[in-house]
Amino acid sequence: MEPMEAIVLAAGYSSRANAFKMTLRLGAMSILEHTISKFEGICSRVIVVCGYRNERIYDALTEIRMRGRYELELVGVTNERFDEGMFSSVQRGCMEVETSGFFITPGDCPLVREETVRKLAETRGQAVIPSYDRRGGHPIKLAGELRSRILEAPADSNLRSILQNHDKQYVNVGDPGILLDLDTPEDVQRAVDYYNQLGKAR
């Protein structure tokens, strides 16, 4: 498997969630740590892009490092333009990427299964996207050539418009977690319910 890194987007306001969702707890770990943990053993480095209340993200990363649970390198970077939208954070993360292939995921997608990430890592393609119930989700894996396209794009662009000119490889997975992002309090509750169901199934 080729060396890879991951960009985790954690710069937003969390305005619809009525809480700073990255540090909300889901079981014994924060939502952010759940998201990061899925890349252990697959990526050499996870780049966490923060912006709003960035000190809380840096503190959370320090706590995660101190526990010594992961072998991957954790790097926090600040997007000073985070109020311009998510694409500015994608660009900021891409500035740090050193590997030819890399993942991008919002930080509030904590319940993706590790085997899903591994399956994506092993699939070749310019843009590899997981699919559940005929819907694309996260994380997505991109080839290195797309990093240059992202960095060269105007600030008001978005990832969807960049990817529309490239081959997309959809990978069917039996993992509803790829669709669970936590934008609202209702989304958070759905994630808690799903997490509890997973725990009972083990």
Side-chain angles (χ1 to χ4, degrees), residues 11-12 26 34 43-44 58 62 74 80 105 114 116 120 122 132 134 136 149 151 155 171 182 199-200:
L26 197 56
H34 275 287
C43 292
S44 58
Y58 284 117
T62 297
L74 275 178
E80 303 290 353
T105 187
E114 186 178 325
T116 295
L120 297 174
E122 293 169 350
Y132 177 80
R134 298 186 179 182
R149 300 287 167 83
L151 290 174
V171 178
L182 313 186
K200 291 174 183 176

Side-chain angles (χ1 to χ4, degrees), residues 85-100:
M86 185 178 289
F87 188 69
S88 67
S89 292
V90 172
Q91 289 183 310
R92 180 66 185 90
C94 282
M95 290 177 188
E96 305 296 325
V97 170
E98 297 175 353
T99 52
S100 57

Side-chain angles (χ1 to χ4, degrees), residues 34 38 111-113 194-202:
H34 275 287
K38 305 309 187 297
L111 295 176
V112 175
R113 297 172 185 166
Y194 179 62
Y195 178 77
N196 291 336
Q197 284 178 0
L198 289 177
K200 291 174 183 176
R202 291 192 182 108

Side-chain angles (χ1 to χ4, degrees), residues 113 116 120 129-138 170-180 194:
R113 297 172 185 166
T116 295
L120 297 174
I129 303 170
S131 174
Y132 177 80
D133 197 23
R134 298 186 179 182
R135 294 168 61 194
H138 294 99
Y170 286 91
V171 178
N172 291 319
V173 294
D175 182 1
I178 69 164
L179 304 177
L180 285 174
Y194 179 62

